Amino acid sequence: MNKPVDSGESKTTIISKKVKENFEFWLFVLPGMIITFIFHYVPLYGIQIAFRRFSPRRGIWESAWVGFDHFERFFNSPYFLTTITNTFILSFYSLVAGFPIPIMLALMLNSFRHKRYRKIIQTVTYAPNFISTVVMAGMLLLFLSPRVGIVNNLIGIFGLESINFMAEKSMWRHIYVWSGIWQNTGWNSVIFFAALAGVSPEFHEAAIVDGATKFQRILYIDLPTILPTATILLILNCGSMLSVGFEKAFLLQNDLNLSVSEIISTYTYKVGLVQNDMSYSTAIGLFNSVINSILLLTVNRVANKLSGHSLI
Amino acid sequence: MSLQRAASMRKAKLMKRSKGDIIFDAVIFVILTVIFLIVAYPLYFIIISSFSDPAAVAGGMVVWIPIKPNLRGYEEVFRNNAVVRGFLNSLLYTSVGTLLNLVVTLPTAFALSRKEFQGNRFVTVFYLITMFVNGGMIPTYLVVKSVKFLDTIWALIVPGALGVYNMFICRTYFKTNLPNELIEAAKLDGCGNTRFFVSIALPLSGALIAIMVLYYGIGHWNSYFSALLYISDKNKFPLQLVLRSILIQNEAQLAQQGVSTAQQLKEQARRRELVELMKYSLIIVSSIPVMIIYPIIQKYFVKGVLIGSVKG
């Protein structure tokens, strides 16, 4: 609050000062708000094309109203079950396999005594996080290439036949998930590592004097410390269960693995901008985000009941 | 005396590791080393391959050190016009984009960090909403199209000019790093908010600006999705789209078609090996900007995660 500077200052000057101050603040926030309004709020208005037969020539208002036709079409199409199942399996697998590993890495690094070596491991494991999705997918294709890839060369040493990984449907999910773990584990451990730095050394000292082993200290001191952080991240991850990112899946797709790699976001893109069926694509996207919100709220409620930690 | 002895005994107890703990430490050391190798080897492999002989890479002979070191892969990369143009385009998009990000994000965050700003709650909610609902791919595309941004740099940098999460990081930073006394003192001396922001707040926020340059800059450099949606003119492609066509879609295969003599077939095979090799060099070249700023900013980014985790 703006306090009067000296007793002689009258009320009106304080008010005019306040107005001037706030005017300045509004100028500060205005550019961001205008941009956000145009590119994040105006599209909300455009969602109505999900209920119309949109044609670019006619514009949004003039396009015919068709109600829930596009949604029905999606529910009845063979892609409905495939894309939803694929999306769900992919994110569930990523979550179950990928969530505990950064926590374990942080716990191990934290209990590790040698500071220099720890620093080296951190620097190296953070690095893949900055590799672009395109390069990541490119690396996978290079390593897993049936003719010249290093993985098949290794397999060859053991006298086994080479595998065309990217054409193998059963391999695709493993490749997607484990390459993601390779890329993100280090970076995802940062937040847990930071939380562990907040543990007072006195706890550990007291535990040592009482004869606790290192493993017991990790279990009863370190782990409970990061539990709230872990819960909130888990909620966030569960809430975005059906919003698997477009980028990597799209790049790793080919005709042979499409039956497991076609997920909601890639399908939305193809329908909307490749086949130009914009209304249908918007309807699928809308359906997806409604499900996402329901998931987030449900998971949040369950987590709140179980552990007392919640997001909202 | 006895107090001192108790203290020294306590110290001895803290220093001494039990047998179990020594084994435990050894196990952790082994696990961490394995993780280190799993993350580091693929990166190392790309580096040594990019300098090796094409035939050696294709034949799987490159494992620990480069074989017949040479720069042919790199020559091939720099001879490729699309790559060079993409690289320059990406440099432009990244620098202009990051600058715009800073210009929009920092003032917004500063205003929101001040209690005197009466629009505080409204603006915060305005941004929070955009984190949970969005118009989706097609409605956003239609807006970008209607403001005539298609096929321009603006489509890539304006819609995401303010990242809400980054903005909240900045707000927290300003809140915790600019003491109220400093602001009051500046005001007493007749310093307005704009002047305070430009000549006091910003110079005190070097670490914050470094983090933002890293987060936003790498985001721009690595992104390909918005370019995929909004850029169709090949001369305006950012590097990641060029990478996609070479690494993923294999469009660098320049080999002559319809050849039959043994000589020509051999030549074609060599050419194919060179194209494969070039991919490794290309991955390195595309990561150069990131590799340059990664060590410089590394000491800041953990801090960034920390600020963000204090309060979202």
Side-chain angles (χ1 to χ4, degrees):
Chain A
M1 279 293 137
N2 206 2
K3 284 175 199 141
V5 173
D6 57 89
S7 51
E9 205 169 21
S10 72
K11 221 172 183 177
T12 44
T13 48
I14 298 170
I15 291 172
S16 75
K17 228 179 177 176
K18 228 176 183 172
V19 170
K20 201 182 145 232
E21 195 170 40
N22 267 283
F23 180 70
E24 254 181 301
F25 282 138
W26 280 112
L27 285 183
F28 276 33
V29 297
L30 208 59
M33 286 183 80
I34 292 173
I35 289 172
T36 306
F37 182 78
I38 294 176
F39 294 101
H40 294 266
Y41 280 87
V42 175
L44 294 179
Y45 165 85
I47 286 180
Q48 55 173 298
I49 66 170
F51 304 96
R52 295 174 183 274
R53 191 175 300 112
F54 177 69
S55 93
R57 247 181 311 114
R58 287 177 147 187
I60 293 176
W61 278 110
E62 297 300 311
S63 299
W65 184 267
V66 294
F68 284 91
D69 275 13
H70 297 299
F71 293 91
E72 267 172 48
R73 209 171 111 209
F74 180 50
F75 298 150
N76 293 327
S77 101
Y79 283 105
F80 174 67
L81 255 179
T82 325
T83 53
I84 288 198
T85 322
N86 284 342
T87 311
F88 185 76
I89 293 178
L90 208 54
S91 56
F92 189 73
Y93 184 9
S94 300
L95 189 64
V96 170
F99 193 74
I101 299 180
I103 298 180
M104 291 193 277
L105 179 65
L107 288 173
M108 286 193 287
L109 281 173
N110 188 59
S111 76
F112 198 58
R113 289 165 153 234
H114 199 295
K115 286 229 166 66
R116 275 269 298 286
Y117 190 50
R118 181 162 89 189
K119 190 93 206 140
I120 294 172
I121 293 177
Q122 282 175 315
T123 307
V124 169
T125 51
Y126 296 169
N129 180 64
F130 298 100
I131 296 175
S132 78
T133 320
V134 179
V135 167
M136 186 68 223
M139 278 167 60
L140 285 173
L141 297 190
L142 272 175
F143 291 163
L144 301 175
S145 147
R147 273 183 304 110
V148 295
I150 180 176
V151 176
N152 272 316
N153 283 334
L154 280 178
I155 293 176
I157 292 174
F158 295 107
L160 299 168
E161 250 177 72
S162 81
I163 304 170
N164 188 357
F165 287 96
M166 296 318 293
E168 205 66 51
K169 261 190 284 185
S170 57
M171 294 281 184
W172 196 84
R173 285 183 185 128
H174 303 300
I175 295 169
Y176 180 96
V177 169
W178 288 97
S179 63
I181 291 173
W182 179 82
Q183 194 175 8
N184 298 321
T185 294
W187 186 252
N188 290 344
S189 75
V190 173
I191 192 159
F192 297 115
F193 191 74
L196 285 172
V199 178
S200 158
E202 283 167 25
F203 282 129
H204 282 284
E205 282 169 19
I208 293 171
V209 171
D210 288 346
T213 65
K214 207 161 190 182
F215 183 66
Q216 283 171 324
R217 284 188 282 130
I218 290 179
L219 208 59
Y220 297 114
I221 300 175
D222 291 343
L223 200 58
T225 310
I226 52 179
L227 212 57
T229 316
T231 314
I232 287 182
L233 285 179
L234 193 63
I235 296 171
L236 282 174
N237 284 332
C238 290
S240 52
M241 199 66 119
L242 276 187
S243 59
V244 176
F246 164 93
E247 304 205 343
K248 195 164 137 197
F250 182 67
L251 293 171
L252 292 177
Q253 274 178 357
N254 59 44
D255 291 342
L256 295 168
N257 62 33
L258 210 55
S259 63
V260 290
S261 63
E262 189 79 295
I263 56 176
I264 301 177
S265 53
T266 54
Y267 185 58
T268 317
Y269 167 76
K270 286 177 197 165
V271 168
L273 289 172
V274 181
Q275 298 163 21
N276 248 324
D277 195 344
M278 295 191 165
S279 287
Y280 187 39
S281 170
T282 308
I284 301 170
L286 179 59
F287 168 76
N288 193 4
S289 37
V290 169
I291 299 285
N292 277 340
S293 316
I294 295 172
L295 266 176
L296 183 67
L297 292 174
T298 316
V299 174
N300 185 56
R301 179 162 293 175
V302 172
N304 198 3
K305 276 225 171 92
L306 289 181
S307 69
H309 304 299
S310 83
L311 185 68
I312 305 164
Chain B
M1 262 310 177
S2 72
L3 204 70
Q4 225 170 41
R5 218 171 58 213
S8 71
M9 261 176 69
R10 192 185 140 101
K11 208 169 183 183
K13 221 169 183 179
L14 286 181
M15 295 303 289
K16 219 185 96 206
R17 294 191 293 168
S18 72
K19 215 179 199 173
D21 280 358
I22 293 172
I23 297 172
F24 187 74
D25 280 343
V27 170
I28 285 187
F29 175 79
V30 171
I31 296 175
L32 284 178
T33 306
V34 170
I35 291 177
F36 172 79
L37 290 177
I38 291 174
V39 177
Y41 184 70
L43 303 173
Y44 177 71
F45 178 75
I46 289 176
I47 296 173
I48 57 172
S49 298
S50 73
F51 290 106
S52 292
D53 184 60
V57 176
M61 267 126 73
V62 179
V63 181
W64 300 117
I65 47 162
I67 291 180
K68 292 188 215 158
N70 66 83
L71 292 172
R72 282 174 62 197
Y74 290 91
E75 283 165 18
E76 195 68 15
V77 168
F78 289 111
R79 222 182 285 143
N80 189 319
N81 285 329
V83 171
V84 175
R85 204 184 305 119
F87 196 95
L88 295 176
N89 282 342
S90 278
L91 277 185
L92 177 74
Y93 301 158
T94 302
S95 43
V96 178
T98 308
L99 192 69
L100 180 71
N101 289 135
L102 295 181
V103 167
V104 173
T105 306
L106 292 172
T108 305
F110 177 72
L112 291 185
S113 74
R114 305 300 312 144
K115 282 198 295 292
E116 311 91 278
F117 177 37
Q118 283 159 338
N120 212 317
R121 225 189 131 60
F122 172 75
V123 179
T124 307
V125 172
F126 176 86
Y127 281 117
L128 276 180
I129 289 173
T130 64
M131 289 179 95
F132 293 99
V133 290
N134 69 80
M137 193 186 299
I138 302 296
T140 311
Y141 175 85
L142 291 175
V143 171
V144 172
K145 192 177 168 189
S146 69
V147 292
K148 303 264 184 304
F149 275 1
L150 285 190
D151 259 334
T152 68
I153 176 178
W154 310 116
L156 305 178
I157 64 173
V158 175
L162 187 140
V164 178
Y165 187 72
N166 285 341
M167 192 269 284
F168 283 133
I169 290 182
C170 297
R171 185 187 66 167
T172 311
Y173 184 94
F174 286 137
K175 256 189 186 164
T176 47
N177 283 275
L178 299 175
N180 240 335
E181 294 77 26
L182 185 67
I183 295 169
E184 295 296 327
K187 266 189 196 147
L188 277 180
D189 292 340
C191 176
N193 280 309
T194 311
R195 178 118 175 266
F196 181 82
F197 174 67
V198 174
S199 34
I200 300 177
L202 285 186
L204 284 176
S205 308
L208 177 73
I209 293 172
I211 293 162
M212 286 300 124
V213 168
L214 177 84
Y215 283 5
Y216 276 130
I218 289 184
H220 284 298
W221 185 263
N222 283 347
S223 93
Y224 87 96
F225 186 44
S226 44
L228 183 69
L229 290 183
Y230 304 132
I231 306 285
S232 46
D233 180 352
K234 284 205 165 176
N235 290 321
K236 291 175 182 160
F237 271 10
L239 184 61
Q240 299 296 331
L241 275 190
V242 179
L243 288 178
R244 173 176 170 249
S245 68
I246 294 174
L247 295 178
I248 315 282
Q249 297 169 320
N250 266 319
E251 275 170 14
Q253 228 88 334
L254 307 165
Q256 317 89 313
Q257 301 282 302
V259 284
S260 47
T261 67
Q263 183 69 32
Q264 281 169 313
L265 279 174
K266 218 172 167 186
E267 172 60 31
Q268 202 178 2
R270 244 211 331 263
R271 178 84 205 140
R272 218 181 293 128
E273 284 168 359
L274 188 60
V275 167
E276 285 295 307
L277 175 76
M278 171 200 164
K279 290 181 180 174
Y280 291 98
S281 314
L282 186 56
I283 287 175
I284 303 286
V285 170
S286 74
S287 316
I288 287 173
V290 178
M291 285 195 287
I292 291 174
I293 60 170
Y294 180 70
I296 302 175
I297 309 198
Q298 197 200 0
K299 62 172 186 233
Y300 294 118
F301 63 56
V302 174
K303 203 173 176 181
V305 175
L306 275 177
I307 304 170
S309 64
V310 175
K311 223 169 206 173

